Amino acid sequence: MFSLIAWIWRWLRAPFLLAVGVAIGFLAPYLYVLDRQVRSRFDDLSWQIPSRVYARPLTLGTGVPLDAQTLTMELEAARYRDEAGARRPGTYERGGNRFVIARRAFVWLDGRERERRIAVTLADGRVARVADADSGEALGPVRLEPARIATLYGSQQEERRILSLGEAPPLLVAGLQAVEDRDFKDHHGIDSVAIARAAWANLRAGRVVQGGSTLTQQLVRNLFLDRSQNLLRKLNEVLIALLIEARYDKRAILEAYVNEVFLGQQGGQAVHGFAAASEFWFGRDVRSLGPADIALLVGLVQGPSYHDPRRYPQRAMARRNRVLAQFYETGLIDEKTLTAAQSQPLNVSAAGALPRNRYPAFLDLVRAQLQRDYPDAELDSAGLAIHTTLAPSTQRLAEAALGKAMAALGTRADPVEAAIVVTGARDGDVQALIGGRDPDAPGFNRALTASRPIGSLIKPFVFLVALAQPQRYSLASLIEDAPVDLPQRDGSRWRPKNDDGLLHGEVPLADVLANSWNLATVQLGLRVGVDRVRGLVESFGLGRPINPNPSLLLGAVELSPLDVAQLYQYFAADGHAVPLRALRGVLDAQGRPLARYETRSGTGDYVAPSRLVTHALQQAAREGTGRTIVQAGLGHLAAAGKTGTSDTQRDSWFAGYTGSHLAVAWVGRDDNKPTGLYGSTGALRIWIELFRQLPSTPLAPPRDGLEWLWIDPPSGHRTDAACEGARQVPFIAGYGPTEQRGCALDRLRQWLGGDRADSEETD
């Protein structure tokens, strides 16, 4: 016996010693290197998590301007589905002007908002009532989940949300193990029994129907290895799986798997992890999923492309039902739940929940404001939640308005471009921004970077300088609309004209602004001083030099539509300098606030004069250069606005505001050739089309600090309300005219004309 052993040893000694040598000389160092790689990756396990950009949350409160069309737009933007009963989060049901909305849970800047069913009743273009849909109890203002409008991906283009095992549905965690690795808790990285079982199942089926890899091996493939199929790769997979199991507990391994597994693809974006997959396939938080939905996600592990429920619903249904059966076989669900779940439809959303970055012009502004605080690398891969001011319904309505207005111009619109900026009248929040005729096209952003002469849009600031001197000027002050002839530096003469080619004589300031008379405006600007007008415009921090020449008084200054919105925000905000903002705040990957972007308005030093300018601009929109607004049926908004046209009709502008919105529209050509359009025939049409559909509050400026007096316009003196031609005009309190001009002559004429006899007969 011993001789046999000695004989065998003599023959095996060399191979054995060689194997030991290889193990000591090669395998041990190799395992050491692998172990270091495993520890380096696993000890600081992190992924490039894209940052997500959100619109503002819609606040529903009694009295908020809102109609059914706009609310539907907001819900669709946030991927809510119209579903009978609206029981599941992310659904709504509409019955006329009453909506029942099953709000999803979401994290906002001031904390987490829970799921809730809300009943909203609309009436006369406003929210009439907000109540709890289950109890009927009236509610105060309620936020709806903000729509996700963009995703900032890192180099790997991976969609992912980190999910801890404690947050995951228990059925998901247990079901994943039941389907993919039943012995997960007992093996040490590889499972020989599972491999044999899978081989037998595949042999019986004649094709691959079951895998033998453990969850740990699958994780190794995703984290450490490429997709090649060879013996060395398989050996590495086994070795790394054993090392991971030796160093880390099962919970850490399972949590890494839950967040790494590949579960779908949309274009260039790969969907990793169950949390992101739940949003991608269902548009819902993974914690709200039922057994059927969880089974579908678990089933996709086997092949998300092959079992794609949108492209191959029959395959997906069969796979889901098979997974449900495995849940039942392992005791995770009972028979009643199995039957109910297998009878359900797939319930996947119609389109992927990875919204394409639709609003390139607005996102340019977001990035510009973010880059003051965050580098690009952090923006693209730190998993930030970036909350903006965009209102999806306002953006959509602005895009539609632009398209309709351009279509109405016919062939004149062919070479023309356009831009729009819409803000909240009081807060300066940029609700919509369009940088060109094609709102989805990235590239040259005319709303931000196209600096164009603004024409008559400058005039309200000339008047503001004058009206801030109430002892000298009021809206009733008279000024001569007379020729202007000034020398220029190049030796030529500057001789501006009125657009109508006429001279209007001595006219009240209110009429000058309402009718946009150039000569009277220049006369006024020369009196108050061009430098003072320039100083006022520069005080808004537009970051560009302002032309000091008298031509500034007629708009010889080049600004972008966003710059113009910043200027007119002063009037819309009732005489307060309010910085425009596209950002509300930023949360980190754990939902903790990193930054809040609060609006801080100026002190309001010229509130009363600005109200006088607004009154004149309301007159302009009612009966002056913007009277098309009233003709279009929008007189109820009592809007204030100003048209602008640059030399030879190269640029068409309109800036107008209501009680809740400011909108600036520009129309022009990139090659700077004439468009043949005035402010009233180009940009104003866009503004009108927008406000035909946009729920907005009528403009009713406060009257504090003002007194309203009846004036005789030709003289500027006080008069009686009954006098012919008398007009009621606002003045800064204490600065109204003291001279009185009665109308006794009017009464005498009435008496001589027979009114006296008529009155005597009546008496």
Side-chain angles (χ1 to χ4, degrees), residues 42 101 140 190 196 230 446 466 484 495 506 540 616:
F42 235 83
I101 304 167
I190 58 174
N230 55 59
R446 295 161 189 83
V484 174
R495 300 185 179 96
E506 204 172 43
F540 287 92

Side-chain angles (χ1 to χ4, degrees), residues 22-59:
V22 169
I24 295 173
F26 173 75
L27 188 58
Y30 187 65
L31 284 173
Y32 175 75
V33 171
L34 285 181
D35 185 53
R36 290 191 61 183
Q37 292 178 355
V38 167
R39 282 185 295 162
S40 174
R41 182 75 172 95
F42 235 83
D43 286 349
D44 186 25
L45 190 59
S46 61
W47 294 275
Q48 279 195 356
I49 306 171
S51 293
R52 296 165 177 85
V53 185
Y54 296 92
R56 62 92 181 93
L58 177 65
T59 299

Side-chain angles (χ1 to χ4, degrees), residues 338-639:
L338 171 67
T339 303
Q342 288 186 333
S343 64
Q344 288 182 20
L346 291 175
N347 287 325
V348 295
S349 57
L354 308 183
R356 60 193 180 97
N357 295 355
R358 271 218 56 213
Y359 311 113
F362 180 78
L363 290 176
D364 285 344
L365 180 59
V366 169
R367 277 193 178 274
Q369 294 189 1
L370 275 173
Q371 283 170 349
R372 303 169 191 168
D373 303 316
Y374 301 95
D376 282 342
E378 187 173 354
L379 283 179
D380 294 342
S381 59
L384 304 179
I386 300 164
H387 290 275
T388 75
T389 60
L390 184 108
S393 57
T394 305
Q395 176 75 24
R396 182 171 167 184
L397 290 171
E399 292 174 1
L402 174 58
K404 189 170 183 179
M406 291 296 100
L409 290 175
T411 56
R412 286 194 297 172
D414 291 346
V416 164
E417 274 294 346
I420 306 173
V421 180
V422 185
T423 71
R426 298 295 183 180
D427 56 22
D429 285 358
V430 180
Q431 297 185 10
L433 192 141
I434 299 173
R437 287 276 296 276
D438 182 356
D440 288 337
F444 184 46
N445 189 338
R446 295 161 189 83
L448 301 187
T449 57
S451 295
R452 309 288 297 224
I454 66 172
S456 294
L457 292 185
I458 197 69
K459 291 177 180 176
F461 298 92
V462 179
F463 283 77
L464 181 62
V465 172
L467 294 169
Q469 307 170 59
Q471 70 280 8
R472 294 184 60 193
Y473 297 102
S474 71
L475 290 178
S477 297
L478 300 176
I479 195 160
E480 188 73 21
D481 187 54
V484 174
D485 188 343
L486 296 174
Q488 300 192 94
R489 292 180 180 179
D490 62 1
S492 62
R493 310 293 296 185
W494 186 52
R495 300 185 179 96
K497 297 183 181 299
N498 287 326
D499 287 338
D500 59 10
L502 303 175
L503 300 176
H504 302 93
E506 204 172 43
V507 286
L509 293 190
D511 291 353
V512 175
L513 186 53
N515 293 287
S516 199
W517 288 326
N518 291 336
L519 298 179
T521 300
V522 174
Q523 297 283 3
L524 178 64
L526 293 175
R527 287 189 189 182
V528 300
V530 177
D531 280 342
R532 296 187 69 177
V533 176
R534 179 181 67 170
L536 173 64
V537 176
E538 287 180 338
S539 71
F540 287 92
L542 303 179
R544 63 190 71 201
I546 303 299
N547 177 4
N549 297 324
S551 58
L552 166 66
L553 302 173
L554 297 182
V557 55
E558 295 186 349
L559 299 177
S560 70
L562 188 73
D563 291 334
V564 172
Q566 181 64 81
L567 289 177
Y568 273 77
Q569 193 70 46
Y570 182 80
F571 297 121
D574 193 33
H576 292 80
V578 178
L580 301 187
R581 66 170 181 173
L583 293 170
R584 286 193 169 186
V586 178
L587 304 177
D588 67 12
Q590 287 72 46
R592 297 172 300 205
L594 290 178
R596 289 177 180 268
Y597 295 83
E598 305 289 349
T599 297
R600 295 182 180 179
S601 65
T603 56
D605 296 331
Y606 302 107
V607 171
S610 77
R611 289 175 182 171
L612 297 182
V613 173
T614 288
H615 175 77
L617 293 177
Q618 285 181 302
Q619 184 179 329
R622 185 171 58 251
E623 55 197 40
T625 55
R627 58 186 175 274
T628 313
I629 293 173
V630 174
Q631 295 169 2
L634 298 176
H636 65 280
L637 291 175

Side-chain angles (χ1 to χ4, degrees), residues 213-249:
S213 296
T214 64
L215 289 177
T216 312
Q217 287 175 272
Q218 294 179 39
L219 180 62
V220 167
R221 291 175 205 153
N222 288 324
L223 288 179
F224 297 97
L225 303 177
D226 58 28
R227 295 295 176 182
S228 62
Q229 297 289 339
N230 55 59
L231 186 59
L232 178 60
R233 181 188 176 282
K234 193 65 179 176
L235 176 62
N236 281 332
E237 177 186 307
V238 171
L239 292 175
I240 294 173
L242 291 170
L243 287 171
I244 287 176
E245 290 274 355
R247 285 203 170 272
Y248 302 98
D249 61 39

